[in-house]
Amino acid sequence: MDDLAITGLLVLSLFLILGSGVWIGLTLSGVAWIGMQLFSARPAGEAMAMTIWGSASSWTLTALPLFIWMGEILFRTRLSQDMFKGLAPWVQALPGRLLHTNVIGCTIFAAVSGSSAATCATIGKMTLPELTRRGYPEHMVVGTLAGASTLGLLIPPSIIMIVYGVTAEVSISQLFIAGVLPGILLAALFSGYIVLWALRHPEQVPAADERMAFMQKLAQSRSLIPVLLLIATVLGSIYIGWATATEAAALGVLGALVLSSVQGSLDWRSFRAALMGATRLYCMIALILAGSAFLSLAMGYIGLPRHLAQWIASLELNQAQLIAALALFFVLLGCFLDGISMVVLTMGVLMPTVQAAGIDPLWFGIFIVLVVEMAQITPPVGFNLFVLQGMTGRQLPWISRVALPMFLLMCAAVALIYAFPGIVTWLPQQMSAR
């Protein structure tokens, strides 16, 4: 069989097994087993055992369950209830007023969660009813939340950055630091859109609350200060070089436990719920990663990555055309797969091509995270759209339509980091120089 026929058979197998309701991790292993059994001389069972064990025993991956656990602990503190109260006084003077709490709240929670779905659910629980009650237009409330909640993937610590770092063999610490400025850029673009919309439609923005003195604002925000200090400690320890990503994750878990204990929200029930929630999520991701590692090995034996790289090279695309083609490819792929599956399915095949084109793997990691963010609000399988549908009762087409401006702003962010790659690489370079 030629490469096209083999690829078609494996892709057909993938969708048939997924369509039958089998878990993604098991599906990947199944497709890899079919490929090894039919098109390789190496025994599939032995290759599967060796690859899955190697994937599961990776020390680099240790940071993942720890950061997930940190987010789960803080998810169960009073942070989500106090955040709106703490942020509201500071944004009253901005055009758009309390709509900015969606963006700022998601930015802060993204730095302790690492998951866009968790960010969307947590911030949405407090801002959706409050902003609707105060008379803010529903399309702006839902649209800005849909876009801003994707920051959970970009602002470190990010689950998908760890997955990319492991699969593409890129430093997770450097990826975390590289995501800081693009995350701030994207948050600024979202807030800038709110400002422009508010200046064009001042009649739709409710009146400001009573003005507060600086000390009153500070008193309202006191519950946020410990969380901001925890974020600064985790990221600062990586940037300065005091801790690896795994050590910083352990520090973050310890800080989250202390913070929730001081707040009085840590008891045996919440501790157990956080631990079990983190365990379930990590087991799902670890199974996907193990299946992906086996599939990458199988594709390597069959020779598909090499032939794909040769085919792409034969198209003679320049760097900009390749980036545009990959952005379109990932957005289309996001219509059918979740972000983690997209990364683990494609990295083994694409990385040789990306490196051959002279693209920095560190920069490419942030690019991947940005386009996966775009896929989070792309129907029909945009995870954030499902979360918002459950919270608002609105239909997916309506939510997709109101989130469209945020999608276009993400496209603008991709163009900006391509035109100015220093947005991604400057902080990691400063970190390496220390």
Side-chain angles (χ1 to χ4, degrees):
M1 292 179 73
D2 61 15
D3 292 336
L4 188 61
I6 293 172
T7 304
L9 176 64
L10 294 181
V11 170
L12 180 63
S13 302
L14 178 72
F15 282 105
L16 283 175
I17 300 173
L18 277 177
S20 66
V22 176
W23 293 346
I24 292 174
L26 297 179
T27 297
L28 297 179
S29 296
V31 172
W33 187 87
I34 291 171
M36 291 285 288
Q37 196 72 18
L38 295 181
F39 308 112
S40 168
R42 183 174 177 181
E46 181 252 347
M48 178 188 287
M50 294 291 291
T51 308
I52 290 177
W53 171 255
S55 169
S57 60
S58 167
W59 170 251
T60 310
L61 206 56
T62 312
L64 183 55
L66 290 172
F67 276 124
I68 294 173
W69 192 18
M70 183 181 84
E72 287 282 339
I73 293 166
L74 290 175
F75 177 70
R76 287 165 173 79
T77 66
R78 290 205 307 270
L79 169 68
S80 56
Q81 294 132 27
D82 294 344
M83 189 178 285
F84 187 90
K85 188 171 69 175
L87 292 176
W90 300 97
V91 297
Q92 291 286 352
L94 294 174
R97 304 193 205 286
L98 298 182
L99 285 173
H100 293 279
T101 58
N102 268 344
V103 178
I104 301 172
C106 286
T107 304
I108 293 173
F109 195 80
V112 296
S113 167
S115 162
S116 66
T119 301
C120 185
T122 304
I123 303 303
K125 276 192 293 190
M126 66 180 178
T127 60
L128 284 175
E130 186 66 24
L131 293 178
T132 305
R133 184 183 67 79
R134 291 174 182 243
Y136 286 86
E138 187 183 13
H139 73 277
M140 282 299 294
V141 176
V142 175
T144 54
L145 177 61
S149 60
T150 62
L151 289 166
L153 296 179
L154 184 58
I155 292 180
S158 163
I159 293 171
I160 208 159
M161 282 184 188
I162 299 174
V163 171
Y164 173 83
V166 171
T167 53
E169 298 181 357
V170 176
S171 165
I172 293 171
S173 297
Q174 292 217 326
L175 276 170
F176 279 0
I177 299 304
V180 172
L181 291 182
I184 294 171
L185 167 69
L186 198 54
L189 288 174
F190 292 150
S191 278
Y193 171 75
I194 293 171
V195 168
L196 290 176
W197 173 85
L199 292 175
R200 288 190 60 195
H201 304 93
E203 74 286 350
Q204 296 189 44
V205 181
D209 293 342
E210 184 181 342
R211 296 191 65 173
M212 289 184 181
F214 178 78
M215 293 308 294
Q216 289 176 301
K217 292 179 181 179
L218 209 57
Q220 287 278 80
S221 306
R222 63 185 180 274
S223 61
L224 292 179
I225 294 172
V227 177
L228 295 176
L229 288 174
L230 177 62
I231 294 166
T233 301
V234 170
L235 295 183
S237 65
I238 296 174
Y239 179 74
I240 295 170
W242 288 351
T244 64
T246 302
E247 291 163 349
L251 187 64
V253 169
L254 181 62
L257 287 170
V258 171
L259 179 60
S260 57
S261 179
V262 169
Q263 281 191 338
S265 54
L266 180 67
D267 54 27
W268 173 246
R269 183 178 175 184
S270 63
F271 177 84
R272 186 176 181 276
L275 186 58
M276 292 305 296
T279 302
R280 280 192 293 268
L281 180 55
Y282 173 70
C283 287
M284 179 196 76
I285 295 171
L287 184 61
I288 292 173
L289 284 173
S292 165
F294 183 37
L295 183 59
S296 297
L297 178 76
M299 286 185 169
Y301 270 94
I302 297 167
L304 289 183
R306 184 179 69 257
H307 296 139
L308 177 64
Q310 290 170 349
W311 176 72
I312 293 175
S314 71
L315 298 177
E316 297 183 353
L317 300 176
N318 62 36
Q319 210 175 76
Q321 290 169 332
L322 178 61
I323 290 296
L326 288 175
L328 180 61
F329 169 70
F330 276 103
V331 170
L332 291 174
L333 199 60
C335 294
F336 308 100
L337 294 173
D338 66 279
I340 291 172
S341 301
M342 287 163 59
V343 171
V344 296
L345 269 173
T346 57
M347 282 308 98
V349 178
L350 290 178
M351 281 311 293
T353 305
V354 168
Q355 290 171 329
I359 298 171
D360 181 358
L362 181 66
W363 181 91
F364 189 68
I366 302 304
F367 163 78
I368 286 292
V369 173
L370 267 171
V371 293
V372 168
E373 279 187 346
M374 293 158 66
Q376 297 294 302
I377 53 174
T378 305
V381 191
F383 273 29
N384 288 19
L385 300 182
F386 289 136
V387 174
L388 286 168
Q389 183 184 37
M391 296 176 77
T392 63
R394 287 284 199 162
Q395 294 300 309
L396 281 179
W398 183 87
I399 299 172
S400 304
R401 191 168 66 251
V402 300
L404 180 61
M406 306 297 119
F407 178 87
L408 297 176
L409 288 173
M410 291 180 196
C411 294
V414 170
L416 284 171
I417 68 165
Y418 180 76
F420 306 101
I423 296 172
V424 173
T425 58
W426 184 76
L427 272 181
Q429 286 168 357
Q430 303 308 305
M431 173 184 166
S432 299
R434 289 179 175 274

